[in-house]
Amino acid sequence: MKALLLFSILSIAILSFGQNFINNGTFEYGAPGVGFWIDGQGYNQLIPPYSGSSSAGNYAFVTNPQTINNQFFLSSGDHTSGIGKMMVIDGNNTGGQQRFWKAGNNGGGICNLTVGQVYCFSYWIRTVSNSVAGNGELADIGVSFNNASNVSLDFGTTLAPIPNFGWLQVRYLFTATNSCVNIEMYNNNTNPVGNDFAIDDIQLTPNNIPLSFTYSVTQPNCTDPNSGLIVIYPTGGVEPYIYRIIGPQPIPITNNTGVFQFVEPGTYTIGLMDAAGTIDSVQNIVISSVSNLSISPSDTSICPGNQITFNASGGNGTYSWSSNNPLETGFPSTSNSITVSPTINTVYEVSSAVNNANLIFNSDFQQGNLGFSTEYSFYSPSNPAGAQRAYGVLTNPSNWYSGFTSCIDHTVGDGTGRMMVLDGSTYNLGNDPFWCQLIAVEPNKDYLFSYWATSLTNSNPANIQVRINGVALGNSYVPAQNCTWGQVSYVWNSGNNLTAEICLVDMIFEGIGNDFAVDDISLRCQNSCTEQVQVSMANIDPDYDVAYPYYACSNDSIVNPILGSNFIAGGFYNSIQTGLNINPITGVISTQNSISGVYQITYTAEVCGSFVPDTLDFNLRTAPNSVGLSAGNYDCQSQSFNQVVLTATGNPNFTVYYTINDSISTTSSSSYQINLGNLPGTYQLDSISDSYCSNTISGTIVIDTANAPLIPEIQGDSLYCYNSTVTALQVTNISGGIRWYGNSMLTDFLGGNLELLPSNQNTQTYYATHTVDGCEGLPASFTVTLEACDLIIPSAFTPNNDGDNDFWNINQLDSQYPENTVWIYNRWGEPIYESSPGNYANKPWDGKYKEALLPVGTYYYVIQLTKDNSIEPLNGIVTLILKK
């Protein structure tokens, strides 16, 4: 089964059973006077060409708001299709609810409504200003209804949406209290800033119409058994709809257009569901089987002097053969088979009789109100009030409306047959088709379309225009004499179209007369079904249509020949050069048992009684491979590892895939020596490829950082006082092989231990290196700074527990002289304080002796700087003062 084409809703326009009473609600027909009127003060229409700027009250009918104001208006498509027209309004600043839209050609409202019926009035709106800062700058749309009750805002708000919300629908519900209702729209906002908007798709429809549908079917044509078409025409319910067909295929097919094309033969159930979940369906819709027109055998080749017989089947059983060789005799032929012996390449064509079945579904209306869409309102069983833009399907027009003449239909002609009876629309510009049907057609065929029509009253005969896919074929007046049927026909070529949407439109808009009936609508193909077959003369020096891949690799296992549609079986293969393992019968090449190289292969077959060879080339390439993987030791001079090198065979350029420390990596090279890198870690080979072939390879190599000298990490104190005790510098990340230097040239060797005691006499930078297997690495440096640190010995202090100068603190004593000891004596030479060696700052003298505060006075001190008195002790006096 061919796939069902689900047409987009923009590609095929299907008219629903329309109940929209608004004419030109999409504004495609432009200015006031076509379905609406504008009489508000301050409103002025802009006429092309536009200047690109607008002022308050200006309006236009454009496809993009920026057309009339390129500085302050947003760019946008219309709501209907994205490429059509909309009404764009620069907000009016004139007060008093000035009307910018009034229903009716002259603003007189909408008529032919049913008193007591609930109707829905709706429109789509968007803000087009780019300078909206708040709700006060949004249009505030009011709607006024006359001859209506129970008016309510059903959906949306009166305020236009903020700009980035795009289009918003607004809906009102009301009950008609008169057959004519006035509807007017105005803007309550007079703010000159923002307040700019677009209106589109205005509709007035009956509310709460029950969901139902009708349908049409196009049967398959004679050249394609799966060319059936099912179209569903909905009415009522709540949009949007979901359409479905169930038939021979196991899974239902659904879409949102109601158009199902390329439907295979079978019995179908069709239906739809609306947004409220209501479902309607019809069973036993039949797509008939068609016997395709075909030729057997298909395109072929014969030798000169030979003959061949072709048989036609399918179609309608009658055939006519022709040949494109004017010198060939025996044509045309009406047999179902022909035997030919051409001397040149020849095309033979067979046609079946004209496919003249009527493709219109329910063409004579005998199935009732079924198979078409319309913009008119259906009245059944009668139209007693004589509503215009109305129709019925019945046997006698006068029974539908008493003012119509009693006529019989065109099909049956005995008073029992049905016809479509119409009271013409008074809407302008002819945008109200009274009958439309979508039909499947074949491309590039001529079709004859026709219909029969008669007048039902004596004045203003209808003028019917026929449109196919939106293009008018012509107009024709209905015969003026009542009950006199007249036929109108047009020829239409389908071109590239696969469908034809045929619509009939009454171009008379008079309320008096303009009443008519149509019957026996027909669309018939004027062309025969045709099929062709081509006979080619065999070439004595042939191309057997056999080939091999452009290249093959020595590790491909086997390579099969590629056989085209013109291949002649029964021949044998051979390689002109030795070294290629090729099967002479099948042509299969075993690459792993062959030598790489370029070969000429011949395939020899019998052509027209002679064995003729055909020669072709075959290139068996050597698959790339690895023959070695190596990595050097640590290079002392460059202070880095040598590259890991893969040595390859094959045809450069190469691409190598490998992992380094389990991370996938790749590299490319035009050399047989391929560098993979020198990062420490484990290298694992995976595969190698060249421009044509690839191969898996194996190999592992490790670059170990233990084989390379490290840069030492040095810890220690970096600041000392001159002549103070220093601590050793230490290398913390290496266990051996350390060399210390006193200069950056690494010539002043200081030792080979992990520790080095720096000098306490000079500021100096020290250098440490690491040596592995005689290779000395890069040095690390560490600077020890020595500075002059003077002792500060206070001459007095005040130990009164006020937190200020309560201790006799001696600055820098412990840091400069780690072996110091401090003694304090009274004036009689008795010791009253002694410090812990090298730890005076931890417990300095607090002016007490045996936990008792000493009296105010002068005391003597002796400071021993070193244990061995190698530095002369310091002595002096300190005064103890008590502050009040």
Side-chain angles (χ1 to χ4, degrees), residues 122-144:
S122 67
Y123 62 88
W124 289 83
I125 185 171
R126 72 159 298 157
T127 297
V128 301
S129 172
N130 60 18
S131 57
V132 173
N135 289 349
E137 296 172 0
L138 296 173
D140 186 3
I141 306 302
V143 182
S144 173

Side-chain angles (χ1 to χ4, degrees), residues 838-855:
N839 199 20
Y840 177 75
N842 188 50
K843 190 176 182 181
W845 183 43
D846 58 1
K848 297 178 181 178
Y849 175 64
K850 294 184 179 180
E851 302 301 324
L853 185 63
L854 295 171

Side-chain angles (χ1 to χ4, degrees), residues 6 83 91 95 129 233 252 389 421 538 541 585 589 597 604 629 650 715 758 812 814 829 845 869:
L6 308 184
I83 58 175
S129 172
Y233 309 94
R389 198 173 178 240
V421 175
D541 185 16
I585 304 301
I589 297 172
T604 303
L629 184 66
Q715 290 186 355
Q812 302 293 338
D814 290 344
W845 183 43
N869 289 324

